[in-house]
Amino acid sequence: MRFKHCICYRVAPGWYANLALAEAQLQAQRFVPCSPTQESSAGWVEPRGQQEGPLLESVAGQWLLEYLVESKTVPASVVRRKLDERCAQIERQAGRKPGKKERQQLKEDITHELLPMAFSRFARVAVWIDSTGLRLSLNTSSQARADEVVTALVKALDGFGVTAFHTQTEPSGAMAAWLADGGEDLYEAHGFTIDRECELKATDDSKAVVRYGRHPLDIEEVRQHIAQGKRPTRLALTWEDRVSFELTEGLQLRKLRFLGGVFDGTDLTQADAFDTDAAIVTAELGKLLPALLEALGGEVRA
């Protein structure tokens, strides 16, 4: 449960959080592996990894789930080669070239035939629902994957809904202000320090991009880029010397790292490690996220 990325949502206040009911509802979407000719499958799996265990865990009052996606892909080059062979055979035997519609059907047939031999790829998304703070957090950096998981949750849990977080100041504008003044007020008021990674993009037709990696950002050159109209799309920050991450213009947290001391003394058995890790991660992010929203001027609710 050690999140590497975090896409967050506000849970709709009308949702009734009932653990036993939610567990029963999730069972209808339990993950089932792909059949030999199936391209993809997705569903909920046991977050502890215990076969036939619960799909929903509660640790220190925080709800934890895991979404699993299996996908099988046949290499396009293999499909093309088989398609060319099949079309050449038809031309030799029937004296004609297959048309566009027939080629498409042949391509689909070939893909279907080869799927049983394709290797599966798996993607897991850890899910944290703060049923008290009404926040949903997903361990992914892919917005498309986040949308898929949210759709699955809305489908599974009666009355569940989410909205994106909105703040008084947009992340890009806030990051520009922090870089312009060196981040002093940011640290004093909210406990965040600016690190050494940043990306700036021009808003004009040039779409020019400037990236800084492992480089001090409290320099005149950065301030000049901002004065000329470039806006930060991502900025590395550290919160209270405990968690470092990259904030994006879309209010995503990427490259999360829990720093020295946060997990000290947690070398436990596998059974205990899940609860300990989950409690620590949710406690740290449960403080970081509200602090970040405040640093962005506070949350705007509809």
Side-chain angles (χ1 to χ4, degrees), residues 34-101:
C34 285
S35 66
T37 57
Q38 189 177 357
E39 291 189 52
S40 65
S41 180
W44 301 102
V45 295
E46 305 85 348
R48 288 184 189 272
Q50 298 173 344
Q51 191 171 5
E52 299 303 321
L55 298 177
L56 177 58
E57 297 282 351
S58 179
V59 177
Q62 305 299 319
W63 290 15
L64 305 165
L65 308 88
E66 188 165 37
Y67 193 74
L68 179 62
V69 179
E70 178 186 8
S71 57
K72 296 195 294 185
T73 304
V74 178
S77 59
V78 175
V79 175
R80 278 197 304 271
R81 187 177 73 247
K82 292 286 186 182
L83 178 60
D84 290 342
E85 292 172 358
R86 198 76 56 90
C87 289
Q89 183 181 18
I90 291 173
E91 189 172 356
R92 287 194 304 271
Q93 294 176 350
R96 62 175 181 82
K97 291 184 178 181
K100 182 178 179 180
K101 191 172 182 179

Coordinates of all heavy atoms in Angstrom, one line a residue, residues 34-101:
C34 N -8.6 -13.5 -17.8 CA -9.0 -13.6 -19.2 C -9.2 -15.1 -19.7 O -8.4 -16.0 -19.3 CB -8.0 -13.0 -20.1 SG -7.9 -11.2 -20.1
S35 N -10.2 -15.3 -20.5 CA -10.3 -16.6 -21.1 C -9.3 -16.6 -22.3 O -8.7 -15.6 -22.6 CB -11.8 -16.7 -21.7 OG -12.0 -15.8 -22.7
P36 N -9.1 -17.8 -22.9 CA -8.0 -17.9 -23.9 C -8.2 -16.9 -25.1 O -7.2 -16.4 -25.6 CB -8.1 -19.3 -24.4 CG -8.7 -20.1 -23.2 CD -9.6 -19.1 -22.5
T37 N -9.4 -16.6 -25.4 CA -9.6 -15.7 -26.6 C -10.1 -14.3 -26.1 O -10.6 -13.5 -27.0 CB -10.7 -16.3 -27.5 OG1 -11.9 -16.5 -26.8 CG2 -10.2 -17.6 -28.1
Q38 N -9.9 -13.9 -24.9 CA -10.4 -12.6 -24.3 C -9.2 -11.7 -24.3 O -8.1 -12.0 -23.8 CB -11.0 -12.8 -22.9 CG -11.7 -11.6 -22.4 CD -12.3 -11.9 -21.0 OE1 -12.2 -13.0 -20.5 NE2 -12.8 -10.9 -20.4
E39 N -9.4 -10.4 -24.8 CA -8.3 -9.5 -24.8 C -8.0 -8.8 -23.5 O -6.9 -8.5 -23.2 CB -8.6 -8.4 -25.9 CG -8.5 -8.9 -27.3 CD -8.6 -7.8 -28.3 OE1 -7.8 -6.9 -28.2 OE2 -9.5 -7.9 -29.2
S40 N -9.0 -8.6 -22.7 CA -8.8 -7.9 -21.4 C -9.9 -8.3 -20.4 O -10.9 -8.8 -20.7 CB -8.8 -6.4 -21.6 OG -10.1 -6.0 -22.0
S41 N -9.5 -8.2 -19.1 CA -10.4 -8.4 -18.0 C -10.0 -7.5 -16.9 O -8.8 -7.2 -16.7 CB -10.4 -9.9 -17.6 OG -11.3 -10.1 -16.5
A42 N -11.0 -7.1 -16.1 CA -10.6 -6.2 -14.9 C -11.6 -6.4 -13.8 O -12.8 -6.8 -14.0 CB -10.7 -4.7 -15.4
G43 N -11.2 -6.2 -12.6 CA -12.1 -6.3 -11.5 C -11.3 -6.2 -10.2 O -10.1 -5.9 -10.1
W44 N -12.0 -6.4 -9.0 CA -11.4 -6.2 -7.7 C -10.8 -7.5 -7.2 O -11.3 -8.6 -7.4 CB -12.5 -5.7 -6.8 CG -13.2 -4.5 -7.2 CD1 -14.4 -4.3 -7.8 CD2 -12.6 -3.2 -7.1 NE1 -14.6 -3.0 -8.1 CE2 -13.5 -2.3 -7.7 CE3 -11.4 -2.7 -6.6 CZ2 -13.3 -0.9 -7.8 CZ3 -11.2 -1.3 -6.7 CH2 -12.1 -0.4 -7.3
V45 N -9.6 -7.3 -6.6 CA -8.9 -8.5 -6.0 C -8.6 -8.1 -4.5 O -8.8 -7.0 -4.1 CB -7.6 -8.7 -6.7 CG1 -7.8 -9.2 -8.1 CG2 -6.7 -7.5 -6.7
E46 N -8.2 -9.2 -3.8 CA -8.0 -9.0 -2.4 C -6.7 -8.1 -2.1 O -5.6 -8.5 -2.6 CB -7.7 -10.4 -1.7 CG -8.9 -11.4 -2.0 CD -8.8 -12.1 -3.3 OE1 -7.9 -11.7 -4.1 OE2 -9.5 -13.1 -3.4
P47 N -6.9 -7.0 -1.4 CA -5.7 -6.1 -1.3 C -4.6 -6.7 -0.4 O -3.4 -6.4 -0.6 CB -6.3 -4.9 -0.5 CG -7.6 -5.3 0.0 CD -8.1 -6.4 -0.9
R48 N -4.9 -7.7 0.4 CA -3.9 -8.4 1.2 C -3.2 -9.5 0.4 O -2.2 -10.1 0.8 CB -4.5 -9.0 2.5 CG -4.8 -8.0 3.5 CD -5.3 -8.7 4.8 NE -5.8 -7.8 5.7 CZ -5.1 -7.1 6.6 NH1 -3.8 -7.4 6.7 NH2 -5.6 -6.3 7.5
G49 N -3.8 -9.9 -0.8 CA -3.3 -11.0 -1.6 C -3.7 -12.3 -1.1 O -3.1 -13.3 -1.6
Q50 N -4.6 -12.4 -0.2 CA -5.1 -13.7 0.3 C -6.2 -14.2 -0.5 O -7.2 -13.6 -0.6 CB -5.5 -13.6 1.8 CG -4.4 -13.2 2.7 CD -4.9 -12.9 4.1 OE1 -6.1 -12.7 4.3 NE2 -4.0 -12.8 5.1
Q51 N -6.0 -15.4 -1.2 CA -7.0 -15.9 -2.1 C -8.4 -16.1 -1.4 O -8.4 -16.6 -0.3 CB -6.6 -17.2 -2.7 CG -7.4 -17.7 -3.8 CD -6.8 -19.0 -4.5 OE1 -5.8 -19.5 -4.0 NE2 -7.4 -19.4 -5.6
E52 N -9.4 -15.6 -2.1 CA -10.8 -15.7 -1.6 C -11.0 -14.9 -0.3 O -11.9 -15.1 0.5 CB -11.2 -17.1 -1.3 CG -11.2 -18.0 -2.6 CD -12.1 -17.4 -3.7 OE1 -13.2 -16.9 -3.4 OE2 -11.7 -17.5 -4.9
G53 N -10.1 -13.9 0.0 CA -10.2 -13.1 1.1 C -11.1 -11.9 0.8 O -11.7 -11.8 -0.3
P54 N -11.3 -11.0 1.8 CA -12.2 -9.8 1.5 C -11.6 -8.9 0.5 O -10.4 -8.8 0.3 CB -12.3 -9.2 2.9 CG -11.1 -9.6 3.6 CD -10.8 -11.0 3.1
L55 N -12.5 -8.3 -0.3 CA -12.1 -7.3 -1.3 C -11.9 -5.9 -0.7 O -11.4 -5.0 -1.4 CB -13.1 -7.3 -2.5 CG -13.3 -8.6 -3.2 CD1 -14.4 -8.4 -4.3 CD2 -12.0 -9.0 -3.9
L56 N -12.4 -5.7 0.5 CA -12.4 -4.4 1.1 C -11.8 -4.6 2.5 O -12.3 -5.4 3.3 CB -13.8 -3.8 1.2 CG -14.0 -2.5 1.9 CD1 -13.1 -1.4 1.2 CD2 -15.4 -2.1 1.9
E57 N -10.7 -3.9 2.8 CA -10.1 -3.9 4.1 C -10.3 -2.6 4.8 O -10.2 -1.5 4.1 CB -8.6 -4.2 4.0 CG -8.3 -5.6 3.4 CD -8.4 -6.7 4.4 OE1 -8.6 -6.4 5.6 OE2 -8.3 -7.9 4.0
S58 N -10.4 -2.6 6.1 CA -10.5 -1.3 6.9 C -9.3 -1.4 7.9 O -9.3 -2.3 8.7 CB -11.8 -1.2 7.6 OG -11.9 -0.1 8.4
V59 N -8.4 -0.4 7.7 CA -7.3 -0.2 8.6 C -7.4 1.1 9.3 O -7.3 2.2 8.6 CB -6.0 -0.4 7.9 CG1 -4.8 -0.2 8.8 CG2 -5.9 -1.8 7.3
A60 N -7.5 1.2 10.6 CA -7.6 2.5 11.3 C -8.7 3.3 10.7 O -8.6 4.5 10.6 CB -6.2 3.2 11.3
G61 N -9.8 2.7 10.3 CA -10.9 3.4 9.8 C -10.8 3.8 8.3 O -11.8 4.4 7.8
Q62 N -9.7 3.4 7.7 CA -9.5 3.8 6.3 C -9.8 2.6 5.4 O -9.3 1.4 5.7 CB -8.0 4.3 6.0 CG -7.6 5.4 6.9 CD -8.5 6.6 6.7 OE1 -8.9 7.0 5.6 NE2 -8.8 7.3 7.8
W63 N -10.5 2.7 4.3 CA -10.9 1.7 3.4 C -9.8 1.5 2.3 O -9.4 2.4 1.7 CB -12.2 1.9 2.8 CG -13.4 1.9 3.7 CD1 -13.4 1.9 5.1 CD2 -14.8 1.8 3.3 NE1 -14.6 1.8 5.6 CE2 -15.5 1.8 4.5 CE3 -15.4 1.8 2.1 CZ2 -16.9 1.7 4.6 CZ3 -16.8 1.7 2.1 CH2 -17.6 1.6 3.3
L64 N -9.5 0.2 2.1 CA -8.4 -0.1 1.1 C -8.9 -1.2 0.2 O -9.4 -2.2 0.6 CB -7.1 -0.6 1.9 CG -6.6 0.4 2.9 CD1 -5.6 -0.2 3.9 CD2 -6.0 1.7 2.3
L65 N -8.7 -1.0 -1.1 CA -9.1 -1.9 -2.1 C -7.9 -2.0 -3.1 O -7.0 -1.2 -3.1 CB -10.3 -1.4 -2.9 CG -11.6 -1.0 -2.1 CD1 -11.5 0.4 -1.7 CD2 -12.8 -1.3 -2.9
E66 N -8.1 -3.0 -4.1 CA -7.1 -3.1 -5.2 C -7.9 -3.5 -6.4 O -8.6 -4.5 -6.4 CB -6.0 -4.1 -4.8 CG -4.9 -4.1 -5.9 CD -3.6 -4.8 -5.4 OE1 -3.8 -5.8 -4.7 OE2 -2.5 -4.3 -5.7
Y67 N -7.6 -2.8 -7.5 CA -8.2 -3.1 -8.8 C -7.1 -3.7 -9.7 O -6.0 -3.2 -9.8 CB -8.7 -1.7 -9.4 CG -9.6 -1.9 -10.6 CD1 -10.9 -2.3 -10.4 CD2 -9.2 -1.5 -11.9 CE1 -11.8 -2.4 -11.5 CE2 -10.0 -1.6 -13.0 CZ -11.3 -2.0 -12.8 OH -12.2 -2.1 -13.9
L68 N -7.5 -4.8 -10.4 CA -6.5 -5.5 -11.3 C -7.0 -5.5 -12.7 O -8.2 -5.8 -12.9 CB -6.4 -6.9 -10.7 CG -5.4 -7.8 -11.5 CD1 -4.0 -7.3 -11.5 CD2 -5.4 -9.2 -11.0
V69 N -6.1 -5.2 -13.6 CA -6.4 -5.2 -15.0 C -5.5 -6.2 -15.7 O -4.3 -6.1 -15.6 CB -6.3 -3.8 -15.7 CG1 -6.6 -3.9 -17.2 CG2 -7.2 -2.8 -15.0
E70 N -6.0 -7.1 -16.5 CA -5.3 -8.0 -17.3 C -5.5 -7.7 -18.7 O -6.7 -7.5 -19.1 CB -5.6 -9.5 -17.0 CG -4.9 -10.5 -17.8 CD -5.4 -11.9 -17.7 OE1 -6.4 -12.1 -17.0 OE2 -4.7 -12.8 -18.3
S71 N -4.5 -7.6 -19.5 CA -4.6 -7.4 -20.9 C -3.7 -8.2 -21.7 O -2.5 -8.5 -21.3 CB -4.3 -5.9 -21.3 OG -3.0 -5.5 -20.8
K72 N -4.1 -8.7 -22.9 CA -3.3 -9.5 -23.8 C -3.3 -8.8 -25.2 O -4.3 -8.4 -25.7 CB -3.9 -10.9 -23.9 CG -3.9 -11.7 -22.6 CD -4.2 -13.2 -22.8 CE -5.5 -13.4 -23.3 NZ -5.8 -14.9 -23.4
T73 N -2.1 -8.7 -25.7 CA -1.9 -8.0 -27.0 C -1.1 -8.9 -27.9 O 0.0 -9.4 -27.5 CB -1.2 -6.7 -26.8 OG1 -1.9 -5.9 -25.8 CG2 -1.1 -5.9 -28.1
V74 N -1.5 -9.0 -29.1 CA -0.8 -9.7 -30.1 C 0.0 -8.7 -30.9 O -0.5 -7.7 -31.3 CB -1.7 -10.5 -31.1 CG1 -0.9 -11.2 -32.2 CG2 -2.6 -11.5 -30.4
P75 N 1.4 -8.9 -31.0 CA 2.2 -7.9 -31.7 C 1.6 -7.6 -33.1 O 1.3 -8.5 -33.9 CB 3.6 -8.6 -31.8 CG 3.6 -9.6 -30.7 CD 2.2 -10.0 -30.6
A76 N 1.6 -6.3 -33.4 CA 1.0 -5.8 -34.7 C 1.8 -6.4 -35.9 O 1.2 -6.7 -36.9 CB 1.0 -4.3 -34.8
S77 N 3.1 -6.5 -35.7 CA 3.9 -7.0 -36.8 C 3.6 -8.5 -37.2 O 3.6 -8.9 -38.3 CB 5.4 -7.0 -36.4 OG 5.7 -7.7 -35.3
V78 N 3.2 -9.3 -36.1 CA 2.8 -10.7 -36.4 C 1.5 -10.7 -37.1 O 1.3 -11.5 -38.0 CB 2.8 -11.4 -35.0 CG1 2.2 -12.8 -35.2 CG2 4.1 -11.4 -34.3
V79 N 0.6 -9.9 -36.7 CA -0.7 -9.8 -37.3 C -0.6 -9.4 -38.8 O -1.2 -10.0 -39.7 CB -1.7 -8.9 -36.6 CG1 -3.0 -8.7 -37.3 CG2 -2.0 -9.3 -35.2
R80 N 0.2 -8.4 -39.0 CA 0.5 -7.9 -40.4 C 1.0 -9.1 -41.3 O 0.6 -9.3 -42.4 CB 1.4 -6.7 -40.5 CG 0.7 -5.4 -40.2 CD 1.6 -4.2 -40.6 NE 2.9 -4.3 -40.0 CZ 3.2 -3.7 -38.8 NH1 2.2 -3.1 -38.2 NH2 4.4 -3.8 -38.3
R81 N 2.0 -9.8 -40.8 CA 2.6 -10.8 -41.5 C 1.6 -11.9 -41.9 O 1.5 -12.4 -43.0 CB 3.8 -11.4 -40.8 CG 4.6 -12.4 -41.6 CD 5.8 -13.0 -40.9 NE 5.4 -13.9 -39.9 CZ 5.6 -13.7 -38.5 NH1 6.1 -12.6 -38.1 NH2 5.2 -14.6 -37.7
K82 N 0.9 -12.3 -40.9 CA -0.2 -13.4 -41.1 C -1.2 -12.9 -42.1 O -1.7 -13.6 -42.9 CB -0.8 -13.7 -39.8 CG 0.1 -14.5 -38.8 CD 0.3 -15.9 -39.2 CE 1.1 -16.7 -38.2 NZ 1.4 -18.1 -38.6
L83 N -1.6 -11.6 -42.0 CA -2.6 -11.0 -42.9 C -2.1 -11.0 -44.3 O -2.8 -11.4 -45.2 CB -2.9 -9.6 -42.4 CG -4.0 -8.8 -43.3 CD1 -5.3 -9.6 -43.3 CD2 -4.2 -7.4 -42.8
D84 N -0.8 -10.6 -44.5 CA -0.3 -10.6 -45.9 C -0.2 -12.0 -46.4 O -0.5 -12.2 -47.6 CB 1.2 -10.0 -45.8 CG 1.2 -8.6 -45.6 OD1 0.1 -7.9 -45.7 OD2 2.2 -8.0 -45.2
E85 N 0.1 -13.0 -45.6 CA 0.1 -14.4 -46.1 C -1.3 -14.9 -46.5 O -1.5 -15.5 -47.5 CB 0.7 -15.3 -45.0 CG 2.2 -15.1 -44.7 CD 2.6 -15.9 -43.5 OE1 1.8 -16.5 -42.8 OE2 3.8 -15.8 -43.1
R86 N -2.3 -14.5 -45.6 CA -3.6 -14.9 -45.9 C -4.2 -14.3 -47.2 O -4.9 -14.9 -48.0 CB -4.5 -14.6 -44.7 CG -5.8 -15.3 -44.6 CD -5.7 -16.7 -44.1 NE -5.0 -16.9 -42.8 CZ -5.6 -16.8 -41.6 NH1 -6.9 -16.6 -41.5 NH2 -4.9 -17.1 -40.5
C87 N -3.9 -13.0 -47.4 CA -4.3 -12.3 -48.6 C -3.7 -12.8 -49.8 O -4.3 -13.0 -50.9 CB -4.0 -10.8 -48.4 SG -5.1 -10.0 -47.2
A88 N -2.4 -13.2 -49.7 CA -1.6 -13.7 -50.9 C -2.2 -15.1 -51.2 O -2.4 -15.4 -52.4 CB -0.2 -13.9 -50.5
Q89 N -2.6 -15.9 -50.2 CA -3.2 -17.2 -50.5 C -4.6 -17.0 -51.2 O -4.9 -17.8 -52.2 CB -3.4 -17.9 -49.2 CG -4.0 -19.3 -49.4 CD -4.1 -20.0 -48.0 OE1 -4.2 -19.4 -47.0 NE2 -4.2 -21.3 -48.0
I90 N -5.4 -16.1 -50.8 CA -6.7 -15.8 -51.4 C -6.5 -15.4 -52.9 O -7.2 -15.8 -53.8 CB -7.5 -14.8 -50.6 CG1 -7.9 -15.3 -49.3 CG2 -8.7 -14.3 -51.4 CD1 -8.5 -14.3 -48.4
E91 N -5.5 -14.5 -53.1 CA -5.2 -14.0 -54.5 C -4.8 -15.2 -55.4 O -5.2 -15.2 -56.5 CB -4.1 -13.0 -54.4 CG -3.9 -12.2 -55.7 CD -3.0 -11.0 -55.6 OE1 -2.6 -10.7 -54.5 OE2 -2.8 -10.4 -56.7
R92 N -4.0 -16.1 -54.9 CA -3.5 -17.2 -55.7 C -4.7 -18.2 -56.0 O -4.8 -18.7 -57.1 CB -2.4 -18.0 -54.9 CG -1.1 -17.3 -54.9 CD 0.0 -18.3 -54.5 NE -0.3 -19.0 -53.2 CZ 0.1 -18.5 -52.0 NH1 0.7 -17.4 -51.9 NH2 -0.2 -19.1 -50.9
Q93 N -5.5 -18.4 -55.0 CA -6.6 -19.4 -55.2 C -7.8 -18.8 -55.9 O -8.5 -19.5 -56.7 CB -7.0 -20.0 -53.8 CG -5.9 -20.8 -53.1 CD -6.3 -21.2 -51.7 OE1 -7.3 -20.8 -51.2 NE2 -5.5 -22.1 -51.1
A94 N -8.2 -17.6 -55.6 CA -9.4 -17.0 -56.2 C -9.1 -16.0 -57.3 O -10.0 -15.6 -58.0 CB -10.2 -16.3 -55.1
G95 N -7.8 -15.7 -57.5 CA -7.5 -14.7 -58.6 C -8.0 -13.3 -58.3 O -8.2 -12.6 -59.3
R96 N -8.1 -12.9 -57.1 CA -8.5 -11.6 -56.7 C -7.9 -11.1 -55.4 O -7.5 -11.9 -54.6 CB -10.1 -11.5 -56.6 CG -10.5 -12.4 -55.4 CD -12.0 -12.2 -55.2 NE -12.4 -13.1 -54.0 CZ -12.3 -12.7 -52.8 NH1 -11.8 -11.6 -52.4 NH2 -12.7 -13.6 -51.8
K97 N -7.8 -9.8 -55.3 CA -7.3 -9.3 -54.0 C -8.4 -9.0 -53.0 O -9.4 -8.4 -53.5 CB -6.5 -8.0 -54.3 CG -5.2 -8.2 -55.0 CD -4.5 -6.9 -55.2 CE -3.1 -7.1 -55.9 NZ -2.4 -5.8 -56.0
P98 N -8.3 -9.4 -51.8 CA -9.3 -9.1 -50.8 C -9.5 -7.6 -50.7 O -8.6 -6.8 -50.7 CB -8.8 -9.7 -49.5 CG -7.8 -10.7 -49.9 CD -7.2 -10.1 -51.2
G99 N -10.8 -7.1 -50.6 CA -11.1 -5.7 -50.4 C -10.9 -5.3 -49.0 O -10.5 -6.1 -48.1
K100 N -11.1 -4.0 -48.8 CA -10.8 -3.4 -47.4 C -11.6 -4.0 -46.3 O -11.1 -4.3 -45.3 CB -11.1 -1.9 -47.5 CG -10.8 -1.1 -46.2 CD -11.1 0.4 -46.4 CE -10.8 1.1 -45.1 NZ -11.1 2.6 -45.2
K101 N -12.9 -4.3 -46.6 CA -13.8 -4.9 -45.6 C -13.3 -6.3 -45.3 O -13.3 -6.7 -44.1 CB -15.2 -4.8 -46.0 CG -16.2 -5.2 -45.0 CD -17.6 -4.9 -45.5 CE -18.7 -5.2 -44.4 NZ -20.0 -4.9 -44.8

